[in-house]
Amino acid sequence: MQTHITTTPFGRRPMTLGLMAKQVAAKSMPQGAKVEKWKTFHAIRDAKEPLGATDRALAILNALLSFHPESELTSEGELIVWPSNEQLTARANGMSPATLRRHLACLVDCGLIIRRDSPNGKRFARKGRGGQIEQAYGFDLSPIVARAEEFAELAEAVQAEKRAYKAVRERLTLLRRDIVKMIDAGIEEGVPGNWDLMTRTYQEIMSKLPRTAPRQVLEDICEDLELLWVEVHETLESFAKSENMSANESHSERHIQNSKPDSISESEQGSRKENEASGTAEENGNLWSLPKRELPLGIVLDACKGWRDLAKDGEIRNWRDFLAAAEVGRVMLGVSPSAWREACEVLGDKHATITLATIYQRADQINSPGGYLRSLTDKAREGKFSAWPMIMALLNAKLEADKAAAQASSQTQQPPESREGGFEVSDALRQSMKKWNS
């Protein structure tokens, strides 16, 4: 029969309220509780980080559990084991005595075991006449039974965190691969777009990635990459769709021209008269030949380079930044709030802003930007206006300027290698324009 259950450690080891709290928790195990010791040990091993246990401490706990003869630990059974330091060292793969003592203290601090020290600090068990243990001094394993559910929940949380971390790492890898390859494809295929800005944005985002990053940091970086991915993908997708639609429509137009050449000629003459009256011949002439499709942001920025100066920090990364600059542009052009509100209602915020950006780009050629915007709004209300021809006109003007600059440079016999990429950029833009206008 046990005479007394010790609660304080032997020797110079002090008694603390933390140790008392762990002993109280060990006593709170439900009546008849039963756990599989190795299954619970595996849960403790998975949850070692939140528990604060070390690898070597778990090696010692594994050894202590091996001294318990049963495969199950029960609240009604004997839960104290009393191996000597020599026996523990042998089962802990020859761990030194100092290391053994340090990691035993770690198991006590983590609340995984409780010391039940004898009066002289030795570990032993006193048996009765029938061979039953009456008093045992050593390490009490009751916390493992009392906290088995807690260990299982911690292990599940750790595994869930590992799965989430793995998923976000995979997402990061896929986003990086997609963005880099799509930007390379856009540059190589000559797709109109602000690829330099997209590349810089990607580099800025990736510069925030540390060598070892927690999951939350990776998720924040993935969110930034997702926005960039949408912009890059939208630019390429719009270009691919427009090529297919342009090919189909050009085939239909050739068929119509072959069947009714006179009617086409009459419509061209009629539109020419209207264009001469309105002063927008090139824009309205291209209105009917262009498909109804969305303008990619990269093309708009190429055509309206001055619009960047109105954006915050001079950078436009997405449509939100593009639309935000409209209020500044409206004030600078002298467009009244009522004219701007009417344009947004008829054209929509995006197309109204694109139209305003083209007017801003040609501000030196327009006497009354507000009146011009109202005129375009009225035409849009009648279905006779699209922002596409205005953007195409600006891009064509840019091509002609680049071509003239290239010819002037060739006349001075300046080698192409000495120019800062001007000829090559113009050539790429020219190829893109041919695709868009084909």
Side-chain angles (χ1 to χ4, degrees):
M1 178 179 293
Q2 291 186 347
T3 57
H4 177 71
I5 299 179
T6 180
T7 58
T8 58
F10 172 76
R12 297 180 179 179
R13 291 188 292 269
M15 181 64 186
T16 63
L17 291 177
L19 290 176
M20 181 63 69
K22 292 180 176 64
Q23 293 180 15
V24 172
K27 290 181 180 179
S28 64
M29 57 182 172
Q31 195 72 19
K34 181 186 299 184
V35 298
E36 297 181 15
K37 65 178 183 180
W38 296 121
K39 182 179 180 180
T40 306
F41 173 75
H42 292 158
I44 294 172
R45 183 182 60 191
D46 292 340
K48 64 179 180 179
E49 291 186 3
L51 290 173
T54 62
D55 294 337
R56 291 196 172 187
L58 292 181
I60 296 173
L61 180 61
N62 181 76
L64 289 175
L65 289 173
S66 68
F67 285 104
H68 191 277
E70 305 295 334
S71 61
E72 293 183 341
L73 303 178
T74 63
S75 59
E76 298 176 356
E78 181 59 50
L79 295 176
I80 298 178
V81 293
W82 54 92
S84 64
N85 284 349
E86 291 77 8
Q87 291 173 320
L88 270 179
T89 299
R91 295 198 184 185
N93 302 321
M95 191 178 295
S96 66
T99 304
L100 181 67
R101 289 192 295 270
R102 185 168 67 254
H103 291 291
L104 281 171
C106 178
L107 290 175
V108 174
D109 293 338
C110 293
L112 297 175
I113 60 174
I114 298 174
R115 289 182 181 275
R116 303 295 186 188
D117 290 340
S118 65
N120 61 359
K122 301 295 184 181
R123 304 182 200 119
F124 62 90
R126 185 181 295 113
K127 297 182 180 181
R129 292 183 178 180
Q132 297 180 347
I133 297 175
E134 293 182 348
Q135 184 74 38
Y137 298 101
F139 300 106
D140 191 350
L141 304 176
S142 57
I144 296 178
V145 181
R147 301 176 62 189
E149 291 187 10
E150 176 189 350
F151 298 147
E153 292 175 357
L154 284 174
E156 179 59 30
V158 170
Q159 292 298 326
E161 178 64 22
K162 287 182 177 179
R163 291 192 295 269
Y165 185 82
K166 182 179 179 181
V168 74
R169 290 289 301 182
E170 292 176 353
R171 180 187 176 196
L172 176 65
T173 301
L174 293 175
L175 284 171
R176 291 179 65 182
R177 184 182 70 192
D178 277 4
I179 292 173
V180 171
K181 290 193 174 183
M182 285 194 298
I183 290 177
D184 290 343
I187 295 174
E188 292 177 1
E189 297 291 337
V191 178
N194 198 342
W195 302 113
D196 289 339
L197 177 59
M198 294 178 188
T199 302
R200 289 198 305 271
T201 303
Y202 172 77
Q203 293 172 349
E204 290 174 2
I205 294 173
M206 295 311 303
S207 66
K208 302 176 185 177
L209 179 64
R211 184 178 296 273
T212 302
R215 179 173 60 86
Q216 186 58 48
V217 173
L218 295 181
E219 288 182 348
D220 293 341
I221 292 176
C222 284
E223 291 298 326
D224 294 338
L225 289 176
E226 189 77 36
L227 293 176
L228 179 60
W229 183 92
V230 170
E231 182 176 353
V232 177
H233 186 268
E234 178 183 340
T235 302
L236 293 179
E237 188 178 46
S238 299
F239 183 78
K241 288 181 178 178
S242 64
E243 279 196 320
N244 293 335
M245 295 175 69
S246 297
N248 293 336
E249 291 187 4
S250 72
H251 176 75
S252 300
E253 288 172 0
R254 286 193 297 269
H255 177 73
I256 293 172
Q257 290 172 0
N258 291 334
S259 60
K260 296 181 180 180
D262 295 337
S263 62
I264 295 297
S265 177
E266 292 174 358
S267 65
E268 288 178 351
Q269 292 175 359
S271 64
R272 186 179 299 111
K273 292 179 181 179
E274 294 178 359
N275 293 337
E276 291 174 354
S278 63
T280 58
E282 188 172 7
E283 296 161 7
N284 293 332
N286 289 333
L287 174 61
W288 309 111
S289 63
L290 287 169
K292 304 297 183 182
R293 57 183 183 270
E294 290 296 324
L295 277 161
L297 179 60
I299 292 179
V300 176
L301 291 177
D302 278 344
C304 308
K305 289 189 174 296
W307 197 251
R308 297 179 189 277
D309 301 333
L310 307 181
K312 185 179 180 181
D313 301 328
E315 297 255 344
I316 295 180
R317 298 183 176 87
N318 47 49
W319 281 112
R320 183 174 61 252
D321 296 342
F322 185 83
L323 297 177
E327 190 61 27
V328 180
R330 179 191 69 78
V331 175
M332 294 185 66
L333 290 171
V335 177
S336 64
S338 60
W340 175 240
R341 183 167 54 253
E342 185 180 2
C344 291
E345 290 175 356
V346 175
L347 294 167
D349 292 345
K350 181 186 290 187
H351 286 277
T353 306
I354 294 173
T355 304
L356 188 68
T358 59
I359 295 175
Y360 182 82
Q361 190 68 23
R362 299 170 50 192
D364 57 340
Q365 305 172 17
I366 300 174
N367 294 328
S368 176
Y372 188 49
L373 180 62
R374 284 187 183 275
S375 174
L376 296 180
T377 303
D378 293 339
K379 291 181 180 180
R381 188 180 287 107
E382 299 174 0
K384 297 180 179 180
F385 170 74
S386 169
W388 265 99
M390 302 180 73
I391 295 296
M392 293 297 106
L394 290 174
L395 289 176
N396 281 322
K398 181 180 178 182
L399 278 176
E400 294 300 325
D402 289 345
K403 182 178 179 181
Q407 291 176 351
S409 176
S410 63
Q411 290 175 359
T412 58
Q413 296 182 352
Q414 184 180 0
E417 293 77 4
S418 64
R419 299 194 299 274
E420 297 181 358
F423 180 79
E424 288 77 4
V425 171
S426 299
D427 186 60
L429 186 58
R430 184 179 298 105
Q431 293 177 3
S432 301
M433 288 298 302
K434 288 181 179 178
K435 293 180 180 180
W436 282 103
N437 294 326
S438 61

